[in-house]
Amino acid sequence: MTAPVAPAPEPVADEPATPSTTARTLRRLRAALVAGSLLTGALCLLVSGRAHTGTDAVGGRAAPALLRAEAAYGALADAQRVAVHGFLRGTVVLGGLGDQYQNDIAAINQNLAELAGYNVAGPAGTSDLQLVEGLVVAYNAEIEQAAADYQQTGELTRALPALWYATLQYREISDTLDRLRTEGRATLTAQRGSAWLAGTTDLLFLVPFVLVLVLFARTQLVLRRRFRRRSSTWLTTAVLALTAAVLWCAQSLHTSDGRLRSALDDPFTKAVTLTQQQAGRSAAEADEDLFAVVAQACPATSRSCGTGLTAPPPGPATGGTAEGGGRPGRDEAEFTDAVAEADASSSRRLAVVALLALAAAAASARALNPRIDEYRFGGR
């Protein structure tokens, strides 16, 4: 009788391989390199987008708004100068107020309409603009009434009441425009000092870029020590692509900031200064002529007719907008062109930056995939 045969033992299932620390390290490095590359590219796009918005706010709204406020003030001063000079010289009797006066009134209304479109002063600015628009209508009506009275009678005394009421409205308009100009300068200064237009914002993408470079160096060290690979084509490609994206982004921001600063410091400042100078000359001449009109129309015993006017102090040589009138316009055109160039520089080829960042992320993943695949079926 044969001994019972013991059943063959069942095959023991394979013990799960111990996860490789090298594989985990490579996966973590891959994830960090991909995330770091994408983060750096995203921050480049964020800073460029904010800089583009800041450039548009400063050069496309705040600065033009101040130019329009200054131009409206200059046109108002010149309208007063032309009108009062016509009454003083008697040309209103023969030719009316003239084309220059009508052009000045049209320029005031046009500049106010454009200023309302920018609306950088908020609700207070809107209220002031509505006030100015109404006062300009009343001012023009009083000037035309004074001209009509002068033409009908030929007596300056008959035209003086309407001319004086127009002058009071002219002063109120000037005061309101002064507030708008002050608000415009404050807004421009605040927006120009925005952090997004300062070079320090470059740190938002330069800091992660430096950290990613350290990770690239760490990864290369791991590949050299554990796989004896002195270099990786894909890893080198990733470093070059991300570096190109960062350099392109930084150069674009630097160029945009330089062009905007140059535009504000040169043609914009010149346009504002020349407009203010012409407005000052027009206002001074208008005051001199108005005093002469009142003195001429009033009796010898009262040379002010109760207006309280006194002789204005002597000022510089006067002259209206006809003197060098084209110069502020040329400076403003140069400023507009420079702002357009700055705006284009801040947003130029952002798609290229995004593609370079994506290429760096893809190359980072591709560089480590072959090494990670070696551990797919077990650890070593």
Side-chain angles (χ1 to χ4, degrees), residues 10 22 35 43 66 74 118 140 153 170 189 197 202 234 262-263 269 284 286 307 314 363 380:
E10 295 182 359
T22 302
L43 290 177
L66 181 56
Y118 295 120
N140 185 47
T153 63
Y170 158 75
T189 300
L197 296 179
D202 294 353
W234 287 108
S262 177
T269 300
T307 61
R380 290 194 288 192

Side-chain angles (χ1 to χ4, degrees), residues 6 14 24 55 96 130 144 171 173 218 237 242 251 260 276-277 289 300 362:
D14 292 340
R24 288 199 300 268
T55 300
Q130 292 173 347
E144 289 181 345
R171 292 176 176 175
I173 297 171
R218 166 66 176 163
T237 301
L242 191 61
Q251 191 273 339
L260 179 61
Q276 291 175 342
Q277 290 175 349
D289 286 351

